[in-house]
Amino acid sequence: MSFKGAVLTGTVSRSPKTIQEHRLFRDGHSTKENFLELVKKDSAEIIKAQKNFAFVSGGQLDWLDLLRPLAYSFNGFEKRKSKGEDSVGPVTRWYSTNTFFRKPAITEKISSNGNELAENLPEVEKGIVFLLGSYSFIRLTQNSFYTDKKEMVLDYAKALSDNIASLKEKGYTSIIFSEPSFGFDLLKNNFDKSLIVKNFAESIKEKGFTVGVNFPLADASKFINLFDDSNYDFLGIDSVYSDFSNIKTSKDVLIGAVDGSRIGIESKEQIKNTVKDFKSKAVFSGNYFIGVNDRLFDVPFEQGLQKIRVLSEVSEELD
């Protein structure tokens, strides 16, 4: 078995000062430049904490959700007349949580000029980008253009792959797709496996990126077999919700040993015990990452940093 390093799986929360500045900017009492300057400082702290990580992220703190920057900049999304945040779409509850996102409408063919993602990300080394996975993309957007949903997500993938060259120039080498709709649909007995597009990542992998997919707040054992012949390099396993003894895959895995929704800080021993338990019960390729089971957006900034530091420290002791 081979340990491949630690990795984050989603966006990170902002410091209290940055949150305050964003509200001032949103309400017309400050400037976008002031907000982005504080985002830059927060991102620097997050990057510094990822000392022993396989891939590094600045936290995508100014993204607010994984759809908004794409809806603003990619072709195919409706652009409303408003110059404010509601130009993307109406506020919609993020599943059953007390957070929200802007639900964009797809009214034309999705395409890209190849620079949109790089323009919304800081320069890093061995960078990783967090994006919405294909199944959740279908679930969380409004579509009035495509009659074939699989065609829609393949156009989404093509638009992302057109950004790979500019992402490489900024130091990025990997993408992890988040699939929060898996857990929600399983909970509601509404999971539709016909919407899974196994070759979704093909056009991105062809350009040399490492591509993973994470299934937060879901028991991966209920569907992981569906991805053995997919194009993903590794699959994210939520250690809080998953039955390790029923995990069977030939893929590399990302063991989500840190709880992104819990404010308590995991100890190194807790993380190592979770890894040990997974390795003793699950069947997989033998190669694994460790990380957060979900985004760190739902815990305060300082707690998120501490969780990242613990992952970095324990990475020095795993093999």
Side-chain angles (χ1 to χ4, degrees), residues 11 60 63-70 130-132 156 178:
T11 54
Q60 293 177 215
W63 279 49
L64 303 176
D65 60 60
L66 296 183
L67 280 170
R68 205 171 313 191
L70 277 63
F130 311 129
L131 295 168
L132 201 63
Y156 169 50
S178 183

Side-chain angles (χ1 to χ4, degrees), residues 9 24 42 45 75 97 151 193 201 221 232 252 285 297 305:
T9 57
L24 289 169
D42 286 354
E45 285 196 65
N75 300 319
T97 69
E151 179 187 354
K193 66 179 181 181
S221 69
Y232 296 111
D252 295 353
S285 71
F297 188 80
L305 280 178

